[in-house]
Amino acid sequence: MSARLIDGFGRVHNNLRISVTDRCNLRCTYCMPEEVAFLPREELLTFEEIARVVRVGVGLGIDKLRLTGGEPLMRRHLDRLVALLTAVTGTRDISLTTNGLLLNEQAEALYHAGLRRINVSLDTLRPEIFRQLTRRDGLKQILTGLEVAQEVGFHPIKLNAVVVRGVNEADIVPLVRFSRENGFEMRFIEYMPIGAEPWERAKVVFAHEIMECIESEVGALIPAPDYDPRSPAMEFCFADGRGRVGIIASVSRPFCRQCNRIRLTADGKLRNCLFALEETDLKSVLRRGGSDEEIAEVFRANIADKWEGHEINTARFVKPLRTMHAIGG
Ligand code: SAM
Ligand code: SF4
């Protein structure tokens, strides 16, 4: 049997996305309901449990980690987990996706623990639209957090925006200009059916529309020379050499054929797809004192069950029971 995580379609999995909490200090409409019961603390994997899962995963070929949530900076002492994970040999790449609200307080400790790359979600530069999308205030605090993260030395800093038709299309151009002027990489994500509010295709602003808008208002885009075809984002540079844009076209151009990702939820379940309807329980194996080989077996079993692709674009699509905040984005 292969020591690597290869599924029935020949896809090799080297990328583990780790959710450290389902809690969040925002309530983005496309991600989670306004009222929600969070997991009891004892259900969350401890940092030591996460590090053990990662050690076993590294033995199976995992070499890319992303910390996410919920809001990962809501998990206390996250820098301690970063330090534990950077110490696991074989993990060449650790990154973090955050809403940025607590970056001003934590950027320095995270950098010192070994983190270098962050993605910060920012859908708008207008306070009223920020409130509409996140059901909270905090835009100013995020902008301060971005400045602090840059001063501390994080590079690259990518800004992620979900574009919802009728809400924030008008932010596409200002966000691109803001990122070009301030040394951030801008990424747009097509709105996916994984939140709590009813999703319709009509609300998705498609990749080609986003590109047309940027090219007509800001400048011509050319494919980035270092573009990695396994990355979910299509990457472009501005022809004038100033700035980059990525577009994650999960709906209009699904990247399932190249998928190399597996997810660990905050409560210790493995998911082989964001849209998977089934999860494989790792926590019970960890907590009954299971061996590393048993943990490896759970990884293999989860990957063996992976479907060919998500079915967002078909009538067969069934939305997973958990919403994005509880899966890990
Ligand atoms: N709280 C952190 C944040 O917002 O960056 C990390 C978790 S969040 C679930 C990860 C990413 O998922 C964010 O960039 C968010 O915009 C994206 N996301 C959430 N719901 C989405 C949806 N329905 N469609 C597309 N992207 C979504
Ligand atoms: Fe929280 Fe991130 Fe979901 Fe927004 S997208 S509610 S910040 S987990």
Side-chain angles (χ1 to χ4, degrees):
M1 188 184 293
S2 169
R4 291 185 302 164
L5 294 168
I6 306 180
D7 70 8
F9 302 91
R11 294 171 295 195
V12 181
H13 293 74
N14 68 323
N15 184 328
L16 180 65
R17 299 174 77 90
I18 303 168
S19 173
V20 295
T21 181
D22 62 336
R23 282 166 202 263
C24 193
N25 39 10
L26 296 179
R27 292 286 182 281
C28 302
T29 51
Y30 49 69
C31 176
M32 68 189 288
E34 182 152 27
E35 300 293 330
V36 59
F38 292 117
L39 289 164
R41 220 158 282 271
E42 62 277 11
E43 293 297 322
L44 302 184
L45 292 190
T46 64
F47 288 168
E48 286 68 25
E49 286 171 330
I50 294 174
R52 179 159 181 228
V53 172
V54 168
R55 262 196 304 278
V56 175
V58 164
L60 297 167
I62 297 290
D63 61 3
K64 255 185 121 163
L65 305 176
R66 176 171 294 275
L67 301 177
T68 181
E71 172 45 39
L73 303 190
M74 295 281 284
R75 181 82 188 249
R76 270 200 284 162
H77 307 301
L78 189 71
D79 56 309
R80 205 168 70 71
L81 177 65
V82 171
L84 277 178
L85 297 182
T86 46
V88 177
T89 49
T91 48
R92 60 176 168 87
D93 186 0
I94 302 184
S95 54
L96 168 82
T97 300
T98 172
N99 65 26
L101 270 177
L102 299 174
L103 257 184
N104 54 351
E105 294 166 23
Q106 298 185 27
E108 195 166 348
L110 290 165
Y111 191 87
H112 283 136
L115 189 70
R116 294 291 177 268
R117 300 200 305 114
I118 55 174
N119 288 17
V120 179
S121 299
L122 184 64
D123 303 323
T124 177
L125 292 166
R126 294 177 289 170
E128 68 282 9
I129 301 297
F130 183 91
R131 175 158 250 290
Q132 183 183 342
L133 275 169
T134 68
R135 303 184 179 110
R136 298 283 188 275
D137 292 317
L139 177 59
K140 244 180 152 170
Q141 200 173 319
I142 296 171
L143 297 178
T144 308
L146 282 172
E147 279 175 31
V148 174
Q150 256 180 340
E151 279 161 22
V152 163
F154 281 103
H155 186 80
I157 300 178
K158 296 183 183 172
L159 303 185
N160 286 353
V162 177
V163 191
V164 183
R165 196 181 302 281
V167 183
N168 64 334
E169 309 100 300
D171 286 283
I172 296 172
V173 169
L175 282 168
V176 170
R177 293 207 168 113
F178 172 77
S179 54
R180 248 161 69 99
E181 282 157 19
N182 293 284
F184 303 117
E185 283 184 38
M186 194 62 225
R187 291 179 138 207
F188 294 98
I189 309 175
E190 286 180 351
Y191 171 36
M192 297 181 284
I194 195 75
E197 65 179 3
W199 177 91
E200 307 159 41
R201 281 184 79 82
K203 288 189 191 165
V204 182
V205 179
F206 293 113
H208 71 271
E209 299 176 272
I210 295 172
M211 280 196 66
E212 279 162 22
C213 172
I214 298 171
E215 291 206 285
S216 69
E217 304 265 340
V218 187
L221 292 169
I222 50 173
D226 56 349
Y227 168 57
D228 172 2
R230 291 199 72 183
S231 154
M234 301 184 285
E235 303 268 1
F236 303 93
C237 296
F238 280 99
D240 68 7
R242 268 188 73 209
R244 274 174 88 104
V245 173
I247 305 185
I248 304 185
S250 331
V251 180
S252 67
R253 285 185 53 173
F255 37 86
C256 305
R257 274 167 181 255
Q258 287 86 37
C259 184
N260 60 358
R261 300 160 166 221
I262 181 165
R263 293 179 144 79
L264 177 65
T265 65
D267 57 346
K269 310 280 195 288
L270 281 180
R271 295 180 65 92
N272 55 31
C273 176
L274 179 57
F275 295 98
L277 298 177
E278 284 172 12
E279 306 177 331
T280 320
D281 185 24
L282 247 185
K283 189 174 62 190
S284 60
V285 179
L286 288 163
R287 295 202 174 164
R288 68 170 159 72
S291 65
D292 285 0
E293 183 43 38
E294 283 173 89
I295 296 170
E297 197 38 55
V298 176
F299 266 106
R300 287 191 204 102
N302 185 262
I303 288 298
D305 279 349
K306 184 156 172 154
W307 301 342
E308 190 172 9
H310 68 59
E311 303 208 304
I312 292 180
N313 296 309
T314 74
R316 293 185 299 274
F317 178 69
V318 179
K319 201 164 122 177
L321 285 177
R322 301 209 208 206
T323 53
M324 184 70 131
H325 80 285
I327 296 173

